[in-house]
Amino acid sequence: METYGYSIRRLEKTVDAETFVRNYVDIPRIAGYCAECSEYGKNWSCPAYKFHTEDLWKRYKTVRLIGEKLTLSDRLRDKKYTDIGVEDFLNEMFTREKIKMTLFIRHLENKYRGSRILSSLICSYCKRCARLDGKPCRHPDKMRFMIEGVGGDVEAMSKDLFGIEILWTKDGVLPPYYVIFFALLMKD
């Protein structure tokens, strides 16, 4: 079904945490990419953190990956976007899908005691993150760390486990699809 000019395909796979960490967590390499990002240290969902990310992964036995492949219509793809236009479109699309997916995955987080959500999208609950003002997160009950922020290689995971290469916008041209993921870390 096409909504808002794109169709959605749900992606889901469960992997034991030890295998996931061995194959898809590379904290030093991914942390280097994070350090180059404009959001680094500016949002509580992004590094640098005041805890060792290795310790987070060690607390869980299972990683349940839940994502969406958002296939764009030709109408959207044929349009030439300015940098601002692309940013506005992507913010609107990702925010809409993140809200829907968050409702679903929070239900799972509540269902599985001791589980923890990770997101492939930056936290956007506040218009201005308190971290910018040197203050603690205003909504620690809602904020979730990014998969990449704790060392997860989302590109490798998507390609290996789902057969989907992650594509990016280039020169104002949208790719055929985007992919977003959440990870539910579970104790059993």
Side-chain angles (χ1 to χ4, degrees):
M1 179 177 85
E2 190 175 298
T3 308
Y4 301 106
Y6 55 91
S7 61
I8 301 166
R9 186 176 115 214
R10 174 65 55 92
L11 308 166
E12 195 163 338
K13 200 161 284 230
T14 301
V15 182
D16 75 88
E18 188 176 310
T19 300
F20 187 86
V21 169
R22 182 174 55 250
N23 295 326
Y24 306 111
V25 176
D26 185 344
I27 295 167
R29 183 173 62 84
I30 303 297
Y33 297 143
C34 287
E36 295 173 9
C37 177
S38 62
E39 292 299 320
Y40 185 81
K42 296 179 180 176
N43 189 297
W44 283 114
S45 65
C46 298
Y49 302 122
K50 293 184 179 186
F51 64 88
H52 296 284
T53 53
E54 302 88 1
D55 296 340
L56 176 81
W57 293 104
K58 291 176 185 175
R59 292 192 296 233
Y60 301 96
K61 292 184 180 177
T62 306
V63 178
R64 184 172 173 184
L65 301 163
I66 301 168
E68 288 183 344
K69 181 178 179 184
L70 310 170
T71 302
L72 306 180
S73 69
D74 290 340
R75 179 183 57 79
L76 284 178
R77 292 198 57 237
D78 289 344
K79 185 175 178 184
K80 183 71 173 170
Y81 293 86
T82 64
D83 288 344
I84 301 276
V86 166
E87 187 176 321
D88 288 346
F89 168 75
L90 295 177
N91 282 338
E92 183 181 313
M93 179 178 71
F94 288 137
T95 298
R96 180 184 308 113
E97 296 309 316
K98 180 180 178 180
I99 289 168
K100 290 191 302 188
M101 285 186 69
T102 299
L103 292 172
F104 171 70
I105 202 160
R106 282 196 189 270
H107 167 75
L108 295 177
E109 187 180 47
N110 290 331
K111 181 178 176 180
Y112 297 102
R113 186 181 164 115
S115 65
R116 175 101 181 147
I117 299 170
L118 300 176
S119 173
S120 65
L121 299 170
I122 193 166
C123 180
S124 56
Y125 281 104
C126 301
K127 284 190 181 221
R128 179 178 169 86
C129 183
R131 190 171 191 176
L132 290 168
D133 300 318
K135 295 182 180 176
C137 179
R138 292 181 199 96
H139 302 285
D141 57 317
K142 295 178 182 172
M143 189 281 297
R144 295 297 180 262
F145 300 114
M146 291 186 67
I147 298 169
E148 298 92 331
V150 293
D153 187 341
V154 175
E155 287 192 22
M157 174 205 78
S158 181
K159 188 174 181 182
D160 292 354
L161 298 177
F162 297 95
I164 300 172
E165 182 180 350
I166 293 183
L167 303 176
W168 304 95
T169 304
K170 185 175 180 180
D171 299 324
V173 177
L174 303 177
Y177 61 85
Y178 289 98
V179 183
I180 57 175
F181 285 102
F182 285 80
L184 182 66
L185 307 180
M186 300 187 301
K187 299 229 178 221
D188 42 299

